[in-house]
Amino acid sequence: MDRALARTTAALRAVRPVDGLLAAVTFVAVLAGTARLGGRLEAAGALPLALWLGLLLLARRRWPLAVLLLSVQAVIVFRTSGLTDIGWVWPVSAAYAGLAADDRPGRPGLPRAAAVGVAELVFAAGWELPATGTGPREVLGSLGAEALWLALLLAAATAYRNRLRWRAELDDRLLRAARERDLEAGRRIAEARLEIARELHDVVGHTLTVVGLQLRVAAESLDDSPAEARAALTTAQEVRTAAVRDLRALVHVLRAPGESPAPAPSPEEPAAGVPELAALVARMRTPALAIRLETTGDPAAVPAPVSLAVHRLVQEALTNTARHSGASRADVAVRCDADRVEVTVADDGRTPPGPAAAPGHGIRGMTERVHALGGELTAGRPGDGGGWLVRAVIPVPGFRP
């Protein structure tokens, strides 16, 4: 009892207003068509047929084939019993169109509707010739018009079904395109965050290391050489100012839309690149760490992305040297060839015995930066002796020194 009630409720919920409209239109059309074509309008004939055909359409959405078969069977019964004398196909037009337009997977509605229509017309021809006594010409004319109407119905239903398919495919393509845009935007955001993380690591790590070195020099020479201590403090202040400027630029990237941007750096403030390596080495050089810089080629002609990558690479390598290795000397060599830029940073630090330490964020950041430009980076001990060597080769397509 409960299952039957649930099925009935589900069937009623499946009925939509358009189904009710089709049922009403079919009811009126059957009666009007019968009257227009000169048929009999009787309470036991056309009226119950119109009512039955209309009620069946309320279930066409759930069982389109069953609705068509029952409708055709009702027309055949009423025609062969003499209760009505007009129409074979046209009273069932809505049922034919509903089945032909059915676009659900696994339900070939169009072939089924065509097969039912042909079968009905064949039956009508076989019944009318002996039963009504009309000649073949009259039967052919009547059923030919019905066949033409059936063909028009199926063509219109097919066009409607194809339009639904096209709309579904278009919506699916738009949805896939939106998802791909979201994925691409997420990938770009992830790359931007990675780039910002690398910049923050380089800027903060370098600043703290240089400031610490210069403060140590100032503390050691404060009594014996106040001028040297003052110069060291000045260098620390300059490095801090440059770091604050870089951090403001990075924070500006992270601002939400609509927030007031950070003031742009003044034109006289140099950007990080190969030409600024001399100033970088000067800031890193201390009495305890001698640094030699050798540059060949034309650094000013190096493209900006490669120039920035070389600057950050040397900065990170010297920061690691000053912070971890305990080296007394470091050599920096930058060579700008016709098609590549080669960077080498070597120190004489006291590396611990045994296998090399696992690369930290600094080396990983350098590797990612170089690989992003299509280059290669190696970092490790140059041989069995002490020291540490960082070497990178970055291609420069179309570069002319």
Side-chain angles (χ1 to χ4, degrees):
M1 184 67 179
D2 294 339
R3 290 183 179 180
L5 181 60
R7 291 177 181 176
T8 304
T9 304
L12 292 176
R13 289 178 179 176
V15 177
R16 298 183 181 180
V18 66
D19 299 330
L21 180 61
L22 283 176
V25 169
T26 297
F27 176 78
V28 174
V30 170
L31 296 180
T34 301
R36 182 71 179 81
L37 296 176
R40 301 193 310 272
L41 283 175
E42 299 177 354
L47 182 62
L49 176 62
L51 181 61
W52 175 249
L53 295 180
L55 290 177
L56 283 176
L57 290 177
L58 297 178
R60 71 174 186 90
R61 198 174 300 274
R62 289 177 61 91
W63 305 288
L65 179 59
V67 168
L68 176 60
L69 292 176
L70 290 176
S71 300
V72 170
Q73 183 180 11
V75 171
I76 292 175
V77 168
F78 274 73
R79 285 297 305 271
T80 56
S81 61
L83 297 177
T84 183
D85 52 358
I86 296 297
W88 289 94
V89 172
W90 65 263
V92 203
S93 297
Y96 274 113
L99 178 59
D102 189 14
D103 196 31
R104 284 172 288 186
R107 298 192 179 190
L110 180 61
R112 293 178 178 178
V116 173
V118 170
E120 184 182 13
L121 291 175
V122 170
F123 175 85
W127 182 81
E128 283 196 2
L129 284 174
T132 61
T134 56
R137 178 176 297 181
E138 290 77 6
V139 173
L140 181 61
S142 174
L143 295 183
E146 297 264 11
L148 179 59
W149 176 250
L150 177 63
L152 291 176
L153 275 178
L154 297 184
T158 302
Y160 177 73
R161 183 195 62 189
N162 292 339
R163 182 177 181 275
L164 291 181
R165 288 181 178 178
W166 174 78
R167 288 290 302 273
E169 292 178 0
L170 180 61
D171 293 341
D172 185 61
R173 290 179 182 176
L174 293 176
L175 180 60
R176 286 201 304 267
R179 289 177 178 175
E180 290 176 358
R181 287 195 299 268
D182 293 340
L183 291 176
E184 179 66 16
R187 185 184 65 80
R188 292 181 180 272
I189 291 174
E191 291 178 353
R193 288 176 176 173
L194 180 60
E195 182 66 23
I196 293 172
R198 283 200 297 260
E199 292 292 333
L200 286 174
H201 176 273
D202 294 343
V203 171
V204 174
H206 171 72
T207 302
L208 294 178
T209 299
V210 174
V211 170
L213 290 175
Q214 298 301 329
L215 290 179
R216 186 172 61 185
V217 171
E220 292 175 353
S221 58
L222 184 61
D223 296 331
D224 299 334
S225 180
E228 185 178 351
R230 189 178 298 108
L233 292 176
T234 301
T235 301
Q237 180 66 24
E238 293 174 351
V239 172
R240 186 206 68 85
T241 302
V244 169
R245 182 186 68 244
D246 294 340
L247 289 176
R248 282 178 178 174
L250 292 175
V251 170
H252 170 59
V253 177
L254 299 176
R255 288 182 183 272
E259 293 188 18
S260 58
S266 58
E268 64 272 8
E269 293 174 340
V274 176
E276 288 72 42
L277 287 179
L280 171 66
V281 170
R283 292 195 302 266
M284 297 289 297
R285 188 180 290 120
T286 65
L289 177 61
I291 305 176
R292 184 176 65 89
L293 173 63
E294 178 183 355
T295 304
T296 58
D298 187 5
V302 178
V306 178
S307 184
L308 174 62
V310 170
H311 186 98
R312 294 304 189 198
L313 190 148
V314 174
Q315 174 181 292
E316 180 62 27
L318 291 179
T319 299
N320 291 338
T321 296
R323 183 185 296 176
H324 303 299
S325 69
S328 60
R329 179 180 178 84
D331 295 320
V332 180
V334 179
R335 189 174 71 181
C336 305
D337 291 335
D339 57 353
R340 66 178 185 173
V341 176
E342 182 177 347
V343 184
T344 303
V345 181
D347 62 49
D348 61 349
R350 299 181 299 275
T351 55
H361 295 288
I363 295 178
R364 183 161 57 247
M366 288 189 291
T367 303
E368 292 172 351
R369 189 185 296 276
V370 172
H371 285 178
L373 296 173
E376 294 293 334
L377 181 138
T378 58
R381 281 184 273 185
D384 296 335
W388 191 264
L389 174 65
V390 175
R391 182 177 180 273
V393 178
I394 305 176
V396 183
F399 174 64
R400 294 296 182 271

